[in-house]
Amino acid sequence: MTKLRIGFRSVFNKKYEIELFDFLIGNTDQFNIPYNGLDLWNSKESETKVLQVEERIEYFHFMYIPIFPIARVWTLRKDDGKLYSLESVKYKIESRVKKSRYPIYTFMLPLLVLLSISIYILSVYGKKHLRAYRQDKKKQITKELLLSKLDSAKAPFYIVLAKDGSSRNTIQRVDSMVEQTYFISKLPLKIDTFEYGTLDYTYYSALKKYRLIQTQVSKDSLYSLVYGNSYFHLDNEINKVLSIKELETPKLEISFINQGLEIKNLGKPITFINFTDNSPEKGFWKFEPNLYLDTNKSILGVYSTKNVKTNVNEEIRLTLTFDDGEEFIEYEVSGTYIDLGGGGGKSFTKNQINRVE
């Protein structure tokens, strides 16, 4: 177990020619008490065999790291290279030399602590400042995008507002624009809020189900509600501008899983018709055909390998067909079914999923 080391040590600071001290010239032999102070960074023995006076700084240390200086110690180095104490004439010596500051390294531990605290504070402040800068930058980009979409939007279109800074949203439909006036339809107050993160199509379908309230606002008033476009805290801020086309276009999220495919519908309800297997060596896919996919619903396609050898990779190519009630939509899906090794089984890699236009 490491022992705690605390105590006093000294370090060489400066040397002076003996000629500066006339009371020492010719009397050096009377100073014959060896200097026995502990020394760390340099040896009291020296190859320098010149008669000179040396100033040393005594300091308090913890684990050999200087904490603060204690005093100046004066020593005489004789022709034999050894050090002898000049404590008896300390005040005479100090009256002949200009007083200097203690070396900064004798305060090393406090400096290290201060440096560590400073680095920590700068790090915390820097991260906070960087986070605030990124948030402001994101806010500015979002604001510019929303204002651009509002400028180019053609009625009817939809706006989604964050409500009261909480986790709830509301949606409104801009039916028409006459000069600087916007005519808007919205849901009754009791049913006009949705949980934050609700899929856009859920908003859209709600507007079709209920009797709406009509109102009108000026262009300036509407634009002031855009996220980040006001210096004041607002109860409602526009955080999305959506066209009918965006809302009525199916949004499918297709992803490979270990044993097949997951198809999730994030938009307009759609029907999965069937699939075509275009793989070089066809495996065994199992999908439920003619399956209606409502908003936020998903289906799984399960794959069973044809090759029983674990070291054989299989190329997968599928065409998935859907019907949204207006047209057929196709997706091409490809990947490689490989052995993960080490008993990890098989999985899909190098996956590509593209909609056929």
Side-chain angles (χ1 to χ4, degrees):
M1 182 176 178
T2 304
K3 293 182 179 180
L4 293 178
R5 305 284 184 180
I6 58 175
F8 302 94
R9 288 183 177 266
S10 66
V11 62
F12 168 79
N13 186 42
K14 197 172 182 179
K15 66 181 179 180
Y16 297 88
E17 294 179 356
I18 193 71
E19 286 76 17
L20 290 175
F21 311 99
D22 53 0
F23 57 87
L24 292 178
I25 299 174
N27 298 320
T28 56
D29 289 342
Q30 74 181 43
F31 300 100
N32 53 15
I33 301 175
Y35 174 67
N36 58 4
L38 293 174
D39 208 66
L40 179 61
W41 291 327
N42 57 299
S43 173
K44 288 180 290 185
E45 299 290 337
S46 174
E47 294 180 0
T48 302
K49 302 184 183 300
V50 178
L51 191 63
Q52 62 186 24
V53 174
E54 296 182 3
E55 179 191 35
R56 312 179 76 76
I57 304 299
E58 191 174 42
Y59 60 86
F60 182 70
H61 74 86
F62 174 73
M63 299 301 288
Y64 305 113
I65 302 175
I67 300 178
F68 53 82
I70 303 296
R72 288 180 170 83
V73 179
W74 296 94
T75 58
L76 176 68
R77 190 176 295 279
K78 294 187 179 181
D79 294 335
D80 60 3
K82 295 181 179 180
L83 283 176
Y84 296 88
S85 175
L86 290 176
E87 189 65 23
S88 61
V89 291
K90 172 181 177 179
Y91 296 107
K92 282 187 177 183
I93 294 173
E94 290 180 348
S95 68
R96 302 291 180 91
V97 298
K98 185 178 180 181
K99 190 174 182 180
S100 59
R101 295 179 179 179
Y102 288 115
I104 193 169
Y105 53 76
T106 57
F107 299 91
M108 186 174 292
L109 188 58
L111 288 174
L112 289 174
V113 172
L114 181 62
L115 180 62
S116 299
I117 293 173
S118 300
I119 291 174
Y120 173 76
I121 292 173
L122 287 173
S123 174
V124 171
Y125 174 79
K127 288 179 180 178
K128 183 178 179 180
H129 181 74
L130 181 60
R131 185 163 55 247
Y133 170 78
R134 287 176 175 171
Q135 288 175 346
D136 289 343
K137 190 70 175 177
K138 182 179 179 181
K139 195 172 186 178
Q140 181 66 23
I141 292 172
T142 303
K143 182 187 80 171
E144 292 174 358
L145 180 62
L146 289 172
L147 289 173
S148 175
K149 291 194 76 171
L150 274 176
D151 285 335
S152 60
K154 295 181 179 180
F157 64 90
Y158 298 82
I159 53 176
V160 178
L161 300 98
K163 190 172 181 63
D164 299 325
S166 67
S167 60
R168 299 182 72 79
N169 281 346
T170 185
I171 188 170
Q172 297 179 7
R173 184 178 69 210
V174 177
D175 296 316
S176 61
M177 300 171 286
V178 179
E179 296 181 350
Q180 300 293 309
T181 302
Y182 284 67
F183 294 86
I184 294 175
S185 295
K186 58 184 180 180
L187 292 164
L189 288 176
K190 292 183 179 180
I191 54 174
D192 76 337
T193 55
F194 302 85
E195 287 299 327
Y196 199 79
T198 301
L199 296 176
D200 296 335
Y201 192 83
T202 305
Y203 297 136
Y204 177 63
S205 58
L207 287 169
K208 291 183 175 182
K209 295 178 183 177
Y210 300 98
R211 186 173 182 178
L212 305 178
I213 299 171
Q214 276 71 43
T215 186
Q216 59 188 58
V217 297
S218 67
K219 180 178 180 180
D220 290 341
S221 296
L222 185 69
Y223 275 50
S224 69
L225 295 177
V226 169
Y227 172 77
N229 202 33
S230 174
Y231 292 105
F232 304 101
H233 171 73
L234 301 175
D235 290 339
N236 291 288
E237 285 188 322
I238 298 173
N239 60 16
K240 278 185 184 179
V241 178
L242 301 166
S243 67
I244 290 181
K245 183 177 180 181
E246 287 178 286
L247 289 166
E248 292 192 344
T249 299
K251 294 181 181 179
L252 294 175
E253 187 179 84
I254 303 174
S255 57
F256 279 95
I257 56 176
N258 283 345
Q259 298 300 321
L261 281 173
E262 180 181 25
I263 305 169
K264 188 171 184 178
N265 181 25
L266 302 179
K268 174 184 177 182
I270 195 170
T271 301
F272 171 68
I273 302 301
N274 216 327
F275 74 98
T276 304
D277 191 348
N278 304 312
S279 308
E281 290 189 44
K282 295 179 174 55
F284 300 97
W285 283 95
K286 184 178 180 181
F287 285 94
E288 186 176 344
N290 301 314
L291 186 66
Y292 178 75
L293 273 175
D294 202 352
T295 305
N296 209 27
K297 298 298 182 181
S298 61
I299 59 172
L300 296 178
V302 181
Y303 179 71
S304 300
T305 179
K306 182 177 181 180
N307 296 292
V308 294
K309 297 180 180 179
T310 58
N311 61 345
V312 176
N313 297 337
E314 302 175 36
E315 290 187 29
I316 306 299
R317 297 176 195 164
L318 299 178
T319 300
L320 308 176
T321 305
F322 302 87
D323 181 8
D324 70 347
E326 297 180 6
E327 61 177 339
F328 289 105
I329 300 171
E330 290 187 337
Y331 281 83
E332 288 183 346
V333 176
S334 63
T336 304
Y337 197 52
I338 67 169
D339 180 21
L340 297 176
K346 284 195 166 189
S347 183
F348 291 96
T349 63
K350 300 178 182 179
N351 307 323
Q352 289 188 348
I353 300 169
N354 299 300
R355 179 173 173 174
V356 180
E357 300 295 339

